Amino acid sequence: MKSMEEMIAAAQKAAETIQTQMNEAQAKLDNIEVEGTAGGGLVKVRATARGRIIGVEIDESLMKPEEKQIVEDLVAAAFNDARDKADRKSAEQMEAIQGSMGLPPGMNIPGFG
């Protein structure tokens, strides 16, 4: 049987390993890009899987003063679409990390989404 000190040391090492993997995953998520679209592609929003907005593209056909409300609605929809895709990519990455640690799918651990 292991001593209490050995068990504590093993737990601390495991925690450090998890923290390292989480940091690596967060860095990886910032390099994964998703694109949200609205209005059949008239508005596009590019974001990282962490949710940082990289760019917005609005088709010139929408650049009319009378279309202002429609453009605003489409931009909001594209942002939401990008955020949803970013959340899904993030969840995929976190599940992969959990799997690599031998944890069962769906196990809810703080910091893993």
Side-chain angles (χ1 to χ4, degrees):
M1 185 167 156
K2 292 184 181 180
S3 72
M4 184 62 82
E5 291 84 18
E6 290 173 321
M7 291 187 332
I8 291 172
Q12 287 175 330
K13 183 165 176 57
E16 290 171 6
T17 299
I18 291 170
Q19 185 63 46
T20 299
Q21 289 177 333
M22 288 297 295
N23 290 340
E24 290 170 359
Q26 291 297 323
K28 187 175 181 180
L29 290 175
D30 211 29
N31 292 317
I32 296 173
E33 288 188 23
V34 296
E35 182 177 82
T37 61
L42 293 174
V43 175
K44 299 176 184 176
V45 173
R46 288 184 308 116
T48 68
R50 285 188 71 179
R52 184 175 55 87
I53 302 303
I54 299 168
V56 176
E57 183 181 320
I58 300 172
D59 190 273
E60 288 183 23
S61 67
L62 295 173
M63 298 307 203
K64 302 172 190 165
E66 64 272 11
E67 302 291 328
K68 181 180 182 294
Q69 183 63 49
I70 292 171
V71 173
E72 291 170 348
D73 291 344
L74 290 174
V75 169
F79 271 102
N80 288 331
D81 187 41
R83 180 74 244 178
D84 182 56
K85 289 175 181 175
D87 289 345
R88 281 184 276 168
K89 285 287 186 183
S90 179
E92 289 171 10
Q93 293 296 314
M94 292 301 112
E95 285 177 18
I97 290 173
Q98 283 181 293
S100 72
M101 290 189 284
L103 300 173
M107 186 169 181
N108 190 7
I109 296 176
F112 281 89

